[in-house]
Amino acid sequence: VFISKPVRLGLCRHGAFLQRAKSFPSTRMNKKVYVIIVLAFLLRLLLLIYAYPTWHHGFLDTDLARNIVEGHGISVREIGSDDNVNYLPTAQEMPGHAFLLAFFQWLTGSSNPIYIQIFQILIDSLMGGVIYVLGKKLFSEKIGLIGAALFALYLPEAYLAVSPMRDVWISFGVLS
């Protein structure tokens, strides 16, 4: 629908003419969307402050991140019977999230997951804007606002954003 009249730019290898596409119309967000995004951020921040200490647990990605920062690569640490520490290569977890955790550990000098959690809260809050844009493009502005508001207040997604695991990134990838 957004393609202008065909402009002959040359033939592609299949013999079809290439067409120049118009740019998408402006997707400016109104002030309500910014309020929804801030509301989503504050809700997730409150969950981080008040609910996260009960969830604190170690998981393999933090061990992988620590080993990456220490220069041992994607490995797990095992202590042998003679108290020697061995680093064994592993493929138990996908390394993408471990590399992100390692980046934040390297950047801050701390293995505290609070930095990745704040970053994930920010990314998850901004996904409300992405939902608004998708709803506006596919349906109407009202549907986009309703979708963004429901996403901002959806507690299971907010809990996942606070948890320093890869779930937010999967949601972000699907929406993008």
Coordinates of all heavy atoms in Angstrom, one line a residue, residues 47-57 159:
L47 N 8.5 -3.3 41.8 CA 8.6 -4.7 42.0 C 10.1 -5.1 42.3 O 10.3 -6.0 43.1 CB 8.1 -5.4 40.7 CG 6.6 -5.6 40.6 CD1 6.3 -6.2 39.2 CD2 6.0 -6.4 41.6
L48 N 11.0 -4.4 41.7 CA 12.4 -4.7 41.9 C 12.8 -4.3 43.4 O 13.4 -5.1 44.0 CB 13.3 -3.8 41.0 CG 14.8 -3.9 41.2 CD1 15.3 -5.4 40.9 CD2 15.5 -3.0 40.3
I49 N 12.3 -3.2 43.9 CA 12.6 -2.8 45.2 C 11.9 -3.7 46.3 O 12.6 -4.1 47.2 CB 12.2 -1.3 45.4 CG1 13.0 -0.4 44.5 CG2 12.3 -0.9 46.9 CD1 12.5 1.0 44.5
Y50 N 10.7 -4.0 46.1 CA 9.9 -4.7 47.1 C 9.8 -6.2 47.0 O 9.6 -6.9 47.9 CB 8.5 -4.1 47.3 CG 8.6 -2.7 47.8 CD1 8.3 -1.6 47.0 CD2 9.0 -2.5 49.1 CE1 8.4 -0.3 47.5 CE2 9.1 -1.2 49.6 CZ 8.7 -0.1 48.8 OH 8.8 1.2 49.2
A51 N 9.9 -6.7 45.7 CA 9.6 -8.2 45.5 C 10.9 -9.0 45.2 O 10.9 -10.2 45.4 CB 8.6 -8.4 44.5
Y52 N 11.9 -8.3 44.7 CA 13.0 -9.1 44.2 C 13.8 -9.9 45.3 O 14.2 -11.0 45.0 CB 14.0 -8.3 43.4 CG 15.2 -9.1 42.9 CD1 15.0 -10.1 42.0 CD2 16.4 -9.0 43.5 CE1 16.0 -10.9 41.5 CE2 17.5 -9.8 43.1 CZ 17.3 -10.7 42.1 OH 18.3 -11.5 41.7
P53 N 14.0 -9.3 46.5 CA 14.9 -10.1 47.5 C 14.4 -11.5 47.7 O 15.1 -12.4 48.1 CB 14.8 -9.2 48.7 CG 14.6 -7.8 48.2 CD 13.7 -8.0 47.0
T54 N 13.1 -11.7 47.6 CA 12.6 -13.1 47.8 C 12.9 -14.0 46.7 O 12.8 -15.2 46.8 CB 11.0 -13.1 48.0 OG1 10.4 -12.6 46.9 CG2 10.7 -12.2 49.2
W55 N 13.2 -13.5 45.5 CA 13.5 -14.3 44.3 C 15.0 -14.6 44.2 O 15.4 -15.3 43.3 CB 13.1 -13.6 43.1 CG 11.6 -13.3 43.0 CD1 10.6 -13.8 43.8 CD2 11.0 -12.5 42.1 NE1 9.5 -13.2 43.4 CE2 9.7 -12.4 42.3 CE3 11.5 -11.7 41.0 CZ2 8.8 -11.7 41.6 CZ3 10.6 -11.0 40.3 CH2 9.3 -11.0 40.6
H56 N 15.8 -13.9 44.9 CA 17.3 -14.0 44.7 C 17.8 -15.4 44.7 O 17.7 -16.0 45.7 CB 18.0 -13.1 45.6 CG 19.4 -12.8 45.2 ND1 20.1 -13.5 44.2 CD2 20.3 -11.8 45.6 CE1 21.3 -13.0 44.0 NE2 21.4 -11.9 44.9
H57 N 18.3 -15.9 43.6 CA 18.8 -17.2 43.6 C 19.9 -17.2 42.5 O 19.9 -16.4 41.6 CB 17.7 -18.2 43.2 CG 17.1 -18.0 41.9 ND1 16.1 -17.1 41.7 CD2 17.3 -18.6 40.7 CE1 15.8 -17.1 40.4 NE2 16.5 -18.0 39.8
Y159 N 7.0 -9.1 36.4 CA 7.9 -9.9 37.2 C 9.0 -10.5 36.4 O 10.1 -10.6 36.9 CB 7.1 -11.1 37.8 CG 6.2 -10.7 39.0 CD1 4.8 -10.9 38.9 CD2 6.7 -10.2 40.1 CE1 4.0 -10.6 40.0 CE2 5.9 -9.8 41.2 CZ 4.6 -10.0 41.1 OH 3.8 -9.7 42.2

